[in-house]
Amino acid sequence: MGDKPVKNMDEFAALSGISRPTISKYFNDPNSVRASTRQKIETALAGYDYRPNIYAINQNRRLTKNIGIVVPYLADPFFAEIARMLERRCFEAGFTPSVFSSHGETSNEKAILDTLRSIKPAGVLLAPLGRLSDITYLKDFCADVPTVLFDSNIEGVGAAFIGSDNRSFVSQTIEYMSRTGDAPCLFEMRNPANPNANKRRHAYVEMMKRLGLDPQIVAIDGTGWAFEEIGRQGALKLLRDNLLPTNSVLCSNDRLAIGFLSACHELGIKVGRDAGCTLRLASHDDHPYSRFTCPALTTAAHDYESVSSHAVETLFRLIDAGGKLKRREETLFAARLIMRASA
Amino acid sequence: MGDKPVKNMDEFAALSGISRPTISKYFNDPNSVRASTRQKIETALAGYDYRPNIYAINQNRRLTKNIGIVVPYLADPFFAEIARMLERRCFEAGFTPSVFSSHGETSNEKAILDTLRSIKPAGVLLAPLGRLSDITYLKDFCADVPTVLFDSNIEGVGAAFIGSDNRSFVSQTIEYMSRTGDAPCLFEMRNPANPNANKRRHAYVEMMKRLGLDPQIVAIDGTGWAFEEIGRQGALKLLRDNLLPTNSVLCSNDRLAIGFLSACHELGIKVGRDAGCTLRLASHDDHPYSRFTCPALTTAAHDYESVSSHAVETLFRLIDAGGKLKRREETLFAARLIMRASA
DNA sequence: ACATTTATTTTACGCGCGTAAAGTTTTTTT
DNA sequence: AAAAAAACTTTACGCGCGTAAAATAAATGT
């Protein structure tokens, strides 16, 4: 990098001995100019401190190179992880990703969509809040901006959805638990905000019936995104009052399970498959912390890699196609069972 | 919100019956125009779908309303939390915050600073990587862009630093542990990337000496930001080989402690202050997950509220002052001891 | 009611770059 | 070496808005 600051493209063009339109062409695609020309430009670039004004660029381009990445709750390491992978992939493809978090609130999600409109992004990767989303608002947005949904599906919204196959999660955990011990009851929130939770419940009921077993659902109260605390309080109550129908428990997701384990420890209940343990606990998501819980959580893992790469690829395809796909696509990736000490 | 889309400010000015320069003034500060004029504009705004083009605005303004928020590792819920608070406060003040994560890598941190330069932000709130930061690069950046550091201090970089008082953390945990049992050894990484770790070590040694006790430091190997795994591996080795000098352990931070607890559970070592426990463990940071560990972690909590509000206030003051403060400011907030079951 | 202050309108220019058109040079093709 | 194709230069316009200056209008003070 050079040090002498250059104000604008005209000045840089003069300094490099190349005309401004060619310089402009170079910055849009370095390979679109002759090799000898590119060489001259890059030599000049090394000697002077010039970078094109991004605002002037975006004002004049019909489409920016911005990509919005929206997650419902960034303080959840699961979403932080996937946002990071999406971000990296967009960046590698020459786009400028920006990460936004709805922080679990409808108003924030809407405000983010407004912000996104104003930055005129080439496309958006959106993991919606789910039940708390303003569906009409999302739909209007997706009608104007090329959008791919991930994690939580909302029927008919966005040009595509990429996520995990909840039936695959549940069938693997149930199969494993019922093979190695009692079949589990399902521990979940009564009114889950996330549509995946509903799909998991349905899959649980269906799978249990198929195995000729009696589905038993334990629903706990609580709202918001503090799942650990909700799981903990719910479990404390259940365990104290001895309301658990089985000694095998399947949590709808790992964050609830983390709270559940916390309650077990407080009450002196040993969890695991070892002798001396009175409870087995499994869960879903393979949350980044699930291997550090006590005991480590047996869980079904998302295929992070596939979800993120396919989501990004789909978005690029959507952008190339001018914002419309022939029909709405839905892609689900299977889970992978991770056996640890808790079940 | 109206529905008829309006292309530009000229068109909107005509529709609202107000001249364009006044409309421009209104969007820069709605209170800078007469109440009756504001009324007319807002009526028109309700009837039409117009929003100023942010790229045209920022091209012409000397200073944008953008604020960059940079954290070293967003997948760490601690940073996710503080980023969220900073973000909200900037937004409330009428700025447009953008959150970036260095993901623990020098190259990313530098790339983020480059990106920030190109969006010409009014100011930046930066939590640097620490030892891995390219100091010269940071310094150059801070010379051009009004920047306030938080969390990790780097001497002489940025116009101000706002963080937590590491001595306050350590003195409280040591005082508590040595009052209620044996004085603790310090469990930490051998080459911590974060400068706070070094400050905590110094504070530990000083505090122990002051109490007439023998400081004992247990340093474990490991690099990167996977602190839980590093703590876990380190603890497994120490516990198996019986190398721990005391049965009271003070972890440099909660994430190491989470790994430590995981190792204890695996080896069947009971942690806590109850009868039957053979080890006490305390830590620092009050990580969002520290109350869900088994047992729940006794830790020293950051004053998140004060740090974030003071950081933002300082940045605004810096911006108002034109990017320079009389002298570099350093503000530290005291910790608050959170007693839980682990010690 | 008049002078004074404050707000608005009119006019006009500039920001930095995308991009189109026409002409010129360089490279590739045969 | 001539013809064709590709890349480049020159010229010029437009994007949507900030902002300055001068003229005009409205609100405020006495």
Side-chain angles (χ1 to χ4, degrees):
Chain A
M1 280 293 186
D3 37 359
K4 295 140 222 152
V6 177
K7 240 183 47 181
N8 56 29
M9 203 179 268
D10 268 312
E11 197 175 320
F12 180 73
L15 288 167
S16 60
I18 307 286
S19 73
R20 191 177 70 73
T22 304
I23 302 280
S24 171
K25 215 172 162 227
Y26 167 85
F27 278 110
N28 277 311
D29 177 10
N31 291 315
S32 67
V33 302
R34 209 176 338 186
S36 59
T37 310
R38 187 168 61 243
Q39 202 50 56
K40 284 185 207 165
I41 295 176
E42 280 163 4
T43 305
L45 224 38
Y48 300 95
D49 179 23
Y50 169 68
R51 63 192 83 211
N53 181 310
I54 200 169
Y55 298 110
I57 291 174
N58 284 333
Q59 178 175 18
N60 295 311
R61 252 212 283 259
R62 35 186 73 184
L63 216 58
T64 70
K65 287 290 226 173
N66 297 327
I67 286 185
I69 298 171
V70 188
V71 295
Y73 201 76
L74 200 51
D76 181 340
F78 166 75
F79 286 113
E81 268 302 319
I82 199 150
R84 180 178 136 249
M85 301 181 79
L86 294 170
E87 194 183 9
R88 187 170 50 77
R89 288 196 147 84
C90 291
F91 187 77
E92 283 165 1
F95 287 89
T96 308
S98 308
V99 177
F100 301 85
S101 168
S102 306
H103 303 315
E105 283 178 29
T106 314
S107 59
N108 286 331
E109 190 173 69
K110 292 166 79 171
I112 289 169
L113 297 186
D114 286 346
T115 302
L116 282 174
R117 281 196 126 100
S118 74
I119 66 173
K120 304 183 192 303
V124 170
L125 292 160
L126 170 65
L129 288 172
R131 193 166 53 79
L132 284 177
S133 290
D134 183 329
I135 310 287
T136 311
Y137 213 84
L138 291 193
K139 232 172 196 160
D140 286 352
F141 179 83
C142 293
D144 299 339
V145 182
T147 303
V148 167
L149 261 54
F150 68 98
D151 184 66
S152 286
N153 195 9
I154 297 182
E155 297 293 333
V157 175
F161 168 73
I162 288 90
S164 292
D165 180 3
N166 289 296
R167 300 171 60 135
S168 160
F169 281 74
V170 176
S171 67
Q172 289 189 60
T173 47
I174 292 183
E175 191 278 332
Y176 170 75
M177 289 191 93
S178 54
R179 180 162 53 78
T180 55
D182 290 354
C185 64
L186 181 70
F187 179 81
E188 65 161 5
M189 281 169 71
R190 194 178 306 285
N191 295 303
N194 191 306
N196 291 324
N198 296 319
K199 299 225 173 78
R200 285 174 187 177
R201 186 190 322 111
H202 290 141
Y204 168 78
V205 172
E206 186 189 314
M207 183 71 186
M208 289 291 278
K209 282 184 177 163
R210 186 182 303 168
L211 293 173
L213 299 167
D214 195 28
Q216 294 192 288
I217 294 172
V218 180
I220 58 167
D221 293 316
T223 54
W225 284 74
F227 297 157
E228 294 85 2
E229 184 59 28
I230 290 168
R232 178 183 147 81
Q233 295 298 342
L236 278 177
K237 205 172 162 196
L238 289 169
L239 294 167
R240 280 188 180 131
D241 301 350
N242 216 3
L243 293 174
L244 225 46
T246 62
N247 53 15
S248 285
V249 177
L250 179 59
C251 287
S252 184
N253 66 66
D254 285 349
R255 294 184 59 197
L256 285 175
I258 289 169
F260 200 114
L261 286 176
S262 160
C264 289
H265 186 274
E266 186 169 328
L267 298 179
I269 296 169
K270 287 200 174 173
V271 179
R273 52 169 182 250
D274 294 345
C277 295
T278 54
L279 203 63
R280 292 189 309 150
L281 187 75
S283 181
H284 307 117
D285 285 344
D286 193 30
H287 187 284
Y289 280 52
S290 60
R291 68 156 303 171
F292 300 107
T293 55
C294 302
L297 259 178
T298 287
T299 185
H302 289 265
D303 188 348
Y304 285 83
E305 282 289 335
S306 297
V307 169
S308 63
S309 65
H310 196 263
V312 170
E313 278 161 20
T314 305
L315 182 62
F316 293 165
R317 200 152 39 79
L318 175 63
I319 293 169
D320 286 341
K324 299 267 174 273
L325 255 38
K326 288 213 179 74
R327 50 171 195 77
R328 189 170 188 275
E329 297 178 9
E330 290 193 13
T331 314
L332 301 179
F333 289 95
R336 188 167 47 91
L337 186 68
I338 313 259
M339 278 169 288
R340 299 204 185 96
S342 75
Chain B
M1 281 288 190
D3 36 0
K4 296 141 219 152
V6 177
K7 241 183 48 183
N8 57 30
M9 203 180 267
D10 269 311
E11 199 175 317
F12 180 73
L15 288 167
S16 60
I18 306 286
S19 75
R20 192 176 69 73
T22 304
I23 302 282
S24 172
K25 212 168 164 231
Y26 167 84
F27 277 108
N28 278 311
D29 177 8
N31 292 314
S32 67
V33 303
R34 198 158 33 194
S36 59
T37 309
R38 187 168 61 243
Q39 201 52 54
K40 284 185 206 165
I41 295 175
E42 279 163 3
T43 304
L45 224 39
Y48 300 94
D49 179 22
Y50 170 70
R51 64 192 81 209
N53 182 311
I54 200 169
Y55 298 110
I57 291 174
N58 285 334
Q59 177 175 19
N60 295 310
R61 250 211 284 258
R62 34 187 72 184
L63 216 57
T64 70
K65 287 289 225 174
N66 297 327
I67 286 186
I69 298 171
V70 188
V71 297
Y73 201 76
L74 199 50
D76 182 339
F78 167 74
F79 286 113
E81 268 301 319
I82 199 149
R84 182 179 135 246
M85 299 179 82
L86 294 171
E87 194 183 8
R88 188 170 50 77
R89 288 196 149 83
C90 291
F91 188 77
E92 283 166 0
F95 287 89
T96 307
S98 307
V99 177
F100 300 86
S101 168
S102 306
H103 302 316
E105 283 178 31
T106 314
S107 59
N108 286 331
E109 191 174 68
K110 291 166 80 172
I112 289 169
L113 297 187
D114 286 346
T115 302
L116 282 174
R117 281 195 127 101
S118 74
I119 66 172
K120 305 183 189 302
V124 169
L125 292 160
L126 171 64
L129 287 172
R131 193 167 51 80
L132 284 177
S133 289
D134 184 329
I135 310 286
T136 313
Y137 213 86
L138 291 193
K139 231 172 196 159
D140 286 352
F141 178 82
C142 294
D144 299 339
V145 182
T147 302
V148 168
L149 260 54
F150 68 98
D151 184 66
S152 286
N153 195 9
I154 297 182
E155 297 293 333
V157 175
F161 168 74
I162 288 88
S164 292
D165 181 3
N166 289 297
R167 301 170 58 134
S168 160
F169 281 76
V170 175
S171 68
Q172 290 189 59
T173 46
I174 293 183
E175 192 279 331
Y176 169 74
M177 289 190 92
S178 55
R179 179 161 53 78
T180 55
D182 289 356
C185 64
L186 181 71
F187 179 82
E188 65 160 7
M189 283 168 70
R190 193 176 310 283
N191 295 303
N194 191 305
N196 291 323
N198 296 319
K199 299 223 174 82
R200 285 174 188 177
R201 185 187 326 108
H202 290 142
Y204 167 80
V205 172
E206 186 188 316
M207 183 71 186
M208 289 291 279
K209 283 183 177 161
R210 185 182 304 168
L211 293 173
L213 299 166
D214 195 26
Q216 295 192 285
I217 292 173
V218 179
I220 59 168
D221 292 317
T223 54
W225 283 74
F227 297 159
E228 294 85 3
E229 185 59 27
I230 290 168
R232 178 184 147 81
Q233 296 297 341
L236 278 176
K237 204 173 164 197
L238 289 169
L239 294 168
R240 281 189 180 127
D241 301 349
N242 217 4
L243 293 173
L244 225 46
T246 61
N247 54 13
S248 285
V249 178
L250 179 59
C251 288
S252 184
N253 66 65
D254 285 348
R255 293 184 60 196
L256 285 174
I258 288 169
F260 199 112
L261 286 176
S262 160
C264 289
H265 185 273
E266 186 169 329
L267 299 178
I269 296 168
K270 287 201 174 172
V271 178
R273 54 168 182 251
D274 294 344
C277 295
T278 54
L279 202 65
R280 292 188 311 148
L281 187 76
S283 180
H284 310 288
D285 285 344
D286 192 31
H287 188 285
Y289 279 51
S290 61
R291 68 156 302 172
F292 300 107
T293 55
C294 302
L297 261 176
T298 288
T299 186
H302 289 266
D303 188 349
Y304 284 83
E305 283 289 335
S306 297
V307 169
S308 63
S309 65
H310 196 261
V312 170
E313 277 161 21
T314 305
L315 181 62
F316 292 165
R317 199 153 40 78
L318 175 63
I319 293 171
D320 286 342
K324 301 266 175 272
L325 255 40
K326 287 211 179 75
R327 49 172 196 79
R328 187 170 188 276
E329 298 178 10
E330 290 194 14
T331 313
L332 301 179
F333 289 94
R336 186 168 49 91
L337 185 69
I338 313 262
M339 279 170 286
R340 300 206 186 96
S342 74

